[in-house]
């Protein structure tokens, strides 16, 4: 049982005791870091002309080291853990990656990580902290504490200091904050650089054992507040493990790199001060006899002369020189010996500087210094040696960036709706109603319909914490400066490898469709080893799916014999259709001829009827001409003959019509 556990729900004294204990555990490191800060960049000390001359190798080393450790903002990479997890996981990964990419820029994560990098390079520890709204901030060295432990896994609580004015504190924590002591917050340089408002230091403590958050401040024995975590992130803490360089064995106490070559830096500064003093004494000075006053005045005039044009000094009493040479009248200081001593000191300082570079691992190639006689292999070897020495710090910054992105991803998934993340990602995804409308439209058009991924499916995956971590993986690319030539070589290698593989695989897949899925998986496996392959993951997956679908269609195609039989059947069917078409044409021609004959017969019958009517009319006219000359008996006989003749004509016409009708029915 923890002996320092709170005695009551609102007792802050045990936590204040833990804070004091942690501050004492890191007190030596904090004091060392304060001195290192002043040595690195203290304007008052550096601007003063009263101190000894120094060689600023510490500042120069850090300015070379910092961009080597971390140079560019991380690029989020979210992808399915496995290639067969389906379209929902792929779309969700794409949406989350685009949202994180936007957030990296909107949150100024690059500036935050640069401050973490500076702390890592200067003091061997840097700490970021993710707030409940997903914003990532940098925590100053003196504002972060954790339980003193041997390993980070054994740490049960972490704390971050926040500074609040009395008005903000009362608004946040109530009347308990009114009696809190406030003071002005300044820099660690013990100067007058401080804020204008007085603030109180409030510790926000995250306890993994109780899974609670506690707020305490010095001078208040009760807790200011106590709450549950706003989100249950992996690892519980809202901050990743701090970026650390060297630590004391068995502890988490950082050891700054500077302490390893502090002696060499002190010696370099001592030699620099001596070189400066000796250089000041490198002036032409000599001695002459005091008795010859006029000669002494002439020599002093010559020594003080600064004009390049005045090369002769007149002497009125030249006989005072005694007829001797001028060099025999003056004894000069040993300047040559002083110059040789300065050269020796410079050589000693150069050797000490090389020792510093050996300790820090900064090769001359990394510092932009080389010799024309060096070969390319020698330069690459030096660069590789330097990268090995600082690789641990580079990996720490990559880990920090990755952990921050993962915490941000968990906050987005659990606190935001999917449509909000889609807005951040600038993605358009249909809902369930829109998918139903699209399905109805496709059904009415008689088209096949493949349902797209809906926003509800993505939201369900985001809110499922247990499933999400199994199917989605958040990564980041390198955060160090990119080598453009190496990037070009990598892309060319990727294109060459994929192009050569496709040239061999596609013909084989065409001949043996059953190996197409295997070839697609090989392509995905080969592309996964390249950075460009991850960027083209979705396109490669679509290509593999297309290859598999075509292989499945090719597997359903008939054999060559079946294709030949099918072609023969289609040919016979085409010939039959042609013959049927010709027969129909002939039948249509015969029917047309019969119809024409029937029309002609009908026209002939009409002509005969008309002729019979004319004859009947003529007979009637003749009967009228006979008049009364004929008796009634003769008239009736004549009339009977006419009627009989007319009936015969009608019978003949009726027989012709019936014959035409029979011919039409038979055709």
């Amino acid at each position: 049982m923890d002996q320092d556990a709170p005695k009551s729900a609102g007792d802050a004294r045990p936590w204040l005791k833990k804070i004091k204990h942690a501050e004492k555990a890191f007190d030596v490191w904090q004091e060392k870091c304060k001195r290192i800060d002043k040595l690195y960049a203290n304007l008052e000390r550096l601007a003063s002309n009263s101190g000894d001359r120094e060689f600023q190798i510490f500042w120069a080393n850090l300015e070379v080291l910092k961009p080597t450790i971390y140079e560019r903002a991380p690029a989020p990479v979210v992808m399915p853990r496995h290639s067969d997890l389906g379209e929902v996981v792929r779309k969700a990964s794409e949406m989350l990656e685009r949202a994180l990419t936007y957030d990296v820029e909107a949150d100024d994560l690059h500036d935050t990580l640069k401050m973490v990098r500076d702390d890592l390079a200067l003091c061997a520890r840097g700490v970021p902290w993710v707030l409940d709204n997903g914003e990532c901030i940098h925590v100053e060295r003196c504002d972060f504490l954790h339980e003193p432990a041997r390993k980070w896994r054994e740490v049960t609580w972490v704390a971050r200091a926040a500074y609040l004015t009395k008005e903000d504190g009362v608004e946040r924590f109530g009347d308990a904050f009114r009696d809190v002591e406030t003071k002005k917050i300044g820099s660690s340089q013990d100067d007058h650089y401080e804020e204008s408002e007085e603030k109180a230091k409030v510790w926000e403590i995250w306890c993994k054992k109780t899974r609670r958050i506690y707020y305490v401040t010095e001078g208040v024995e009760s807790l200011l507040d106590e709450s549950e975590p706003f989100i249950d992130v992996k690892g519980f803490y809202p901050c990743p493990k701090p970026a650390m360089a060297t630590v004391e064995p068995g502890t988490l106490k950082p050891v700054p790199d500077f302490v390893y070559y502090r002696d060499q830096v002190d010696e370099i500064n001592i030699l620099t001060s001596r070189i400066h003093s000796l250089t000041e004494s490198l002036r032409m000075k000599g001695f002459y006899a005091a008795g010859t006053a006029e000669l002494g005045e002439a020599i002093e005039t010559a020594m003080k002369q600064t004009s390049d044009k005045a090369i002769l000094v007149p002497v009125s009493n030249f006989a005072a020189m005694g007829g001797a040479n001028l060099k025999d009248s003056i004894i000069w200081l040993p300047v040559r010996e002083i110059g040789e001593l300065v050269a020796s000191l410079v050589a000693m300082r150069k050797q000490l500087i090389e020792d510093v570079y050996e300790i820090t691992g900064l090769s001359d190639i990394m510092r932009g210094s080389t010799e024309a006689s060096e070969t390319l292999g020698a330069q690459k070897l030096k660069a590789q040696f330097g990268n090995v020495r600082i690789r641990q710090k580079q990996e720490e910054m990559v880990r920090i960036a990755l952990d921050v992105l993962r915490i941000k991803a968990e906050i987005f998934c659990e606190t935001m709706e999917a449509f909000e993340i889609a807005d951040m990602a600038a993605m358009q995804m249909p809902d369930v109603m829109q998918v139903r409308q699209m399905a109805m439209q496709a059904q009415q058009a008689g088209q096949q319909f493949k349902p797209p991924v809906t926003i509800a499916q993505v939201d369900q995956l985001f809110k499922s914490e247990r499933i999400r971590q199994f199917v989605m993986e958040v990564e980041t690319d390198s955060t160090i400066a990119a080598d453009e030539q190496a990037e070009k070589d990598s892309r060319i290698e990727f294109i060459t490898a994929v192009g050569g593989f496709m040239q061999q695989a596609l013909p084989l897949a065409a001949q043996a469709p059953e190996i197409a899925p295997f070839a697609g998986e090989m392509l995905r496996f080969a592309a996964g080893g390249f950075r460009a392959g991850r960027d083209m993951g979705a396109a490669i997956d679509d290509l593999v799916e297309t290859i598999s679908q075509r292989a499945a269609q090719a597997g359903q195609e008939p054999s060559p014999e079946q294709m030949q039989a099918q072609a023969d059947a289609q040919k016979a069917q085409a010939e039959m259709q042609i013959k049927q078409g010709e027969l129909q044409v002939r039948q249509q021609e015969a029917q047309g001829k019969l119809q024409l004959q029937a029309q002609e017969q009908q026209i002939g019958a009409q002509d005969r009827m008309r002729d019979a009517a004319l004859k009947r009319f003529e007979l009637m006219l003749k009967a009228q001409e006979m008049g009364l000359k004929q008796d009634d008996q003769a008239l009736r006989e004549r009339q009977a003959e006419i009627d009989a003749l007319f009936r015969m004509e009608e019978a003949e016409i009726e027989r012709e019509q019936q014959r035409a009708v029979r011919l039409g029915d038979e055709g």
Side-chain angles (χ1 to χ4, degrees), residues 392-410:
Q392 179 185 357
K393 295 183 178 66
Q394 293 176 345
E395 292 175 351
E396 279 292 288
M397 288 305 303
V398 172
R399 179 188 61 79
I400 285 291
L402 176 58
D403 290 345
V404 169
L405 290 176
R406 286 176 174 173
I407 294 175
K408 283 177 171 285
E410 291 190 65

Side-chain angles (χ1 to χ4, degrees), residues 12-56:
R13 288 174 296 179
W15 285 116
L16 292 174
K17 183 179 178 181
K18 290 182 179 183
I19 293 293
K20 288 293 184 183
H21 176 70
E23 288 179 338
K24 186 177 181 180
F26 290 96
D27 184 63
V28 175
W29 173 70
Q30 292 283 5
E31 290 299 324
K32 179 62 68 175
C33 290
K34 287 182 180 179
R35 291 194 292 268
I36 292 176
D37 286 344
K38 292 180 180 180
L39 184 63
Y40 171 67
N42 184 277
L43 183 60
E44 183 178 358
R45 182 184 64 85
L46 294 173
S48 176
N49 295 324
S50 59
D52 295 333
R53 291 294 181 95
E54 295 180 350
F55 190 86
Q56 302 298 334

Side-chain angles (χ1 to χ4, degrees), residues 450-569:
K450 181 181 179 181
V453 177
T454 63
I455 194 72
Q457 292 174 307
V458 174
D459 186 68
Q460 183 179 5
L461 177 60
F462 284 161
K463 296 300 184 289
S464 178
E465 179 183 359
R466 182 176 178 275
I467 299 176
R468 185 181 66 239
Q469 60 184 347
F470 294 150
V471 299
M472 296 174 60
E473 183 178 12
V474 180
E475 296 290 343
T476 182
D477 65 350
S478 176
T479 56
I480 60 177
D483 187 341
E484 295 184 0
Q485 186 60 41
E487 182 70 17
K488 292 179 181 179
D489 294 341
S490 177
R491 296 191 179 192
I492 293 174
E493 183 181 1
F494 171 74
I495 294 174
T496 303
V498 173
F501 173 79
M502 295 185 68
Q503 288 180 356
Q504 297 178 1
L506 291 180
L508 291 176
Q511 296 177 2
E514 61 274 7
I515 70 171
F518 176 72
E521 292 300 326
M522 286 188 63
L523 175 61
R524 184 185 285 121
F525 172 78
F530 295 88
R531 178 65 182 88
R534 295 200 302 270
D535 294 338
M536 299 177 61
I540 292 175
D541 290 341
D542 294 338
L543 176 61
V544 171
E545 184 177 355
T546 302
I547 292 174
S548 300
Q549 290 177 355
R550 291 187 177 181
Q553 295 175 358
Q556 298 175 357
E557 293 181 357
S559 62
E561 294 78 7
Q562 293 176 344
M563 294 177 62
Q564 184 63 36
Q566 185 178 1
D568 295 340

Side-chain angles (χ1 to χ4, degrees), residues 302-357:
M303 295 295 293
K304 294 179 181 179
Q305 185 63 258
T306 59
S307 175
D308 294 335
K309 296 181 180 180
I311 58 177
L312 297 177
V313 176
V315 179
S316 59
N317 188 9
F318 192 78
M321 299 181 63
N325 294 329
L326 182 62
K327 66 178 182 179
D328 297 331
S329 302
I330 303 174
I331 301 175
W332 298 100
L333 284 176
V335 178
R336 179 179 301 175
E337 287 78 1
I338 297 176
E340 292 176 352
L341 178 58
V342 170
S344 299
L345 293 176
V346 170
M348 293 174 60
R349 186 179 65 175
K350 183 177 180 181
Q351 181 59 47
L352 286 172
I353 293 174
E354 292 295 330
D355 294 342
V356 170
Y357 292 150

Side-chain angles (χ1 to χ4, degrees), residues 215-504:
Y215 297 87
V216 299
T217 186
E218 190 70 29
V220 179
E221 295 183 352
S222 61
L223 294 175
L224 296 176
D225 193 11
E226 178 183 352
S227 63
E228 294 182 353
F230 63 91
I231 184 175
D232 187 13
V233 299
K234 184 179 179 181
F236 180 73
Y237 301 131
C239 64
K241 174 186 174 182
M244 294 184 178
T246 307
V247 296
E248 286 188 6
T251 70
L252 292 175
K253 189 185 301 183
V255 179
D257 292 347
F258 178 70
V259 299
Y260 291 100
Y261 59 95
R262 174 62 188 266
D263 294 341
Q264 284 75 17
V265 173
D266 290 342
E267 292 182 24
I268 290 173
N269 289 333
I270 292 173
L271 291 177
T272 301
S273 178
R274 290 179 180 176
I275 292 172
H276 173 69
S277 300
L278 291 173
T279 303
E280 289 291 325
S281 64
L282 280 176
R283 291 192 174 94
M284 184 67 71
K285 295 182 179 180
F287 306 93
Y288 58 90
T292 56
E294 187 176 356
L295 179 61
E297 292 177 358
I299 294 174
E300 289 182 359
T301 302
M303 295 295 293
K304 294 179 181 179
Q305 185 63 258
T306 59
S307 175
D308 294 335
K309 296 181 180 180
I311 58 177
L312 297 177
V313 176
V315 179
S316 59
N317 188 9
F318 192 78
M321 299 181 63
N325 294 329
L326 182 62
K327 66 178 182 179
D328 297 331
S329 302
I330 303 174
I331 301 175
W332 298 100
L333 284 176
V335 178
R336 179 179 301 175
E337 287 78 1
I338 297 176
E340 292 176 352
L341 178 58
V342 170
S344 299
L345 293 176
V346 170
M348 293 174 60
R349 186 179 65 175
K350 183 177 180 181
Q351 181 59 47
L352 286 172
I353 293 174
E354 292 295 330
D355 294 342
V356 170
Y357 292 150
E358 288 292 332
I359 296 173
T360 58
L362 294 178
S363 64
D364 53 4
I365 299 298
M366 299 171 64
R367 295 181 285 107
S369 174
T370 184
E371 296 181 3
S373 60
E374 288 185 342
T375 62
L376 178 61
Q379 294 179 350
K380 289 184 176 180
L381 184 61
K382 289 184 177 181
Q384 184 178 3
F385 171 76
N387 290 332
V388 169
R389 298 294 299 276
I390 64 173
R391 185 170 299 168
Q392 179 185 357
K393 295 183 178 66
Q394 293 176 345
E395 292 175 351
E396 279 292 288
M397 288 305 303
V398 172
R399 179 188 61 79
I400 285 291
L402 176 58
D403 290 345
V404 169
L405 290 176
R406 286 176 174 173
I407 294 175
K408 283 177 171 285
E410 291 190 65
I411 293 175
F412 291 165
C413 291
E414 296 191 16
T415 62
M416 299 176 64
E417 299 295 332
F419 70 87
E420 296 177 317
I421 302 177
D423 291 340
M424 292 178 60
M427 289 182 63
Q428 297 292 333
M429 298 189 68
D431 54 22
V432 177
M433 294 300 297
Q434 292 174 339
V435 172
R436 290 178 180 175
Q437 294 176 358
M438 296 166 62
M440 292 178 60
Q441 295 175 358
Q443 185 178 3
Q444 292 175 358
Q447 300 175 352
Q448 293 183 353
F449 178 70
K450 181 181 179 181
V453 177
T454 63
I455 194 72
Q457 292 174 307
V458 174
D459 186 68
Q460 183 179 5
L461 177 60
F462 284 161
K463 296 300 184 289
S464 178
E465 179 183 359
R466 182 176 178 275
I467 299 176
R468 185 181 66 239
Q469 60 184 347
F470 294 150
V471 299
M472 296 174 60
E473 183 178 12
V474 180
E475 296 290 343
T476 182
D477 65 350
S478 176
T479 56
I480 60 177
D483 187 341
E484 295 184 0
Q485 186 60 41
E487 182 70 17
K488 292 179 181 179
D489 294 341
S490 177
R491 296 191 179 192
I492 293 174
E493 183 181 1
F494 171 74
I495 294 174
T496 303
V498 173
F501 173 79
M502 295 185 68
Q503 288 180 356
Q504 297 178 1

Side-chain angles (χ1 to χ4, degrees), residues 104-326:
V104 167
E105 180 179 355
D107 189 28
D108 290 333
L109 182 61
H110 183 47
D111 292 338
T112 301
L113 293 180
K114 283 199 296 184
M115 288 185 282
V116 174
R117 174 205 66 186
D118 294 347
D119 285 351
L120 175 63
L122 193 65
C123 302
R125 192 186 76 176
V127 182
W129 190 284
V130 183
L131 303 179
D132 55 358
N133 60 354
E135 179 185 359
C136 182
I137 62 173
H138 165 254
V139 183
E140 294 291 339
R141 182 187 69 251
C142 58
D143 294 337
F144 178 79
L145 286 175
H146 61 79
E147 179 186 18
R150 296 173 302 174
K151 303 178 180 64
W152 183 254
R153 287 181 175 270
E154 299 176 359
V155 174
T156 60
W157 61 267
V158 299
R160 176 183 71 93
Y163 298 88
L164 301 177
T165 62
K166 185 158 292 189
E167 292 77 9
D168 294 337
V170 171
E171 181 180 357
R172 171 64 178 83
F173 300 110
D175 294 336
F177 203 82
R178 294 188 182 276
D179 298 330
V180 173
E181 181 182 356
T182 59
K183 62 180 181 180
K184 292 184 178 181
I185 309 301
S187 68
S188 61
Q189 304 285 357
D190 298 331
D191 54 10
H192 299 289
Y193 187 85
E194 57 186 12
E195 297 183 9
S196 59
E197 291 186 294
E198 292 187 348
K199 296 182 179 181
K201 191 175 186 178
V202 179
W203 287 100
E204 176 185 344
I205 306 170
W206 287 63
C207 181
K208 185 184 290 186
K209 284 185 177 180
T210 60
R211 304 192 75 82
R212 304 282 293 178
I213 306 174
Y214 304 97
Y215 297 87
V216 299
T217 186
E218 190 70 29
V220 179
E221 295 183 352
S222 61
L223 294 175
L224 296 176
D225 193 11
E226 178 183 352
S227 63
E228 294 182 353
F230 63 91
I231 184 175
D232 187 13
V233 299
K234 184 179 179 181
F236 180 73
Y237 301 131
C239 64
K241 174 186 174 182
M244 294 184 178
T246 307
V247 296
E248 286 188 6
T251 70
L252 292 175
K253 189 185 301 183
V255 179
D257 292 347
F258 178 70
V259 299
Y260 291 100
Y261 59 95
R262 174 62 188 266
D263 294 341
Q264 284 75 17
V265 173
D266 290 342
E267 292 182 24
I268 290 173
N269 289 333
I270 292 173
L271 291 177
T272 301
S273 178
R274 290 179 180 176
I275 292 172
H276 173 69
S277 300
L278 291 173
T279 303
E280 289 291 325
S281 64
L282 280 176
R283 291 192 174 94
M284 184 67 71
K285 295 182 179 180
F287 306 93
Y288 58 90
T292 56
E294 187 176 356
L295 179 61
E297 292 177 358
I299 294 174
E300 289 182 359
T301 302
M303 295 295 293
K304 294 179 181 179
Q305 185 63 258
T306 59
S307 175
D308 294 335
K309 296 181 180 180
I311 58 177
L312 297 177
V313 176
V315 179
S316 59
N317 188 9
F318 192 78
M321 299 181 63
N325 294 329
L326 182 62

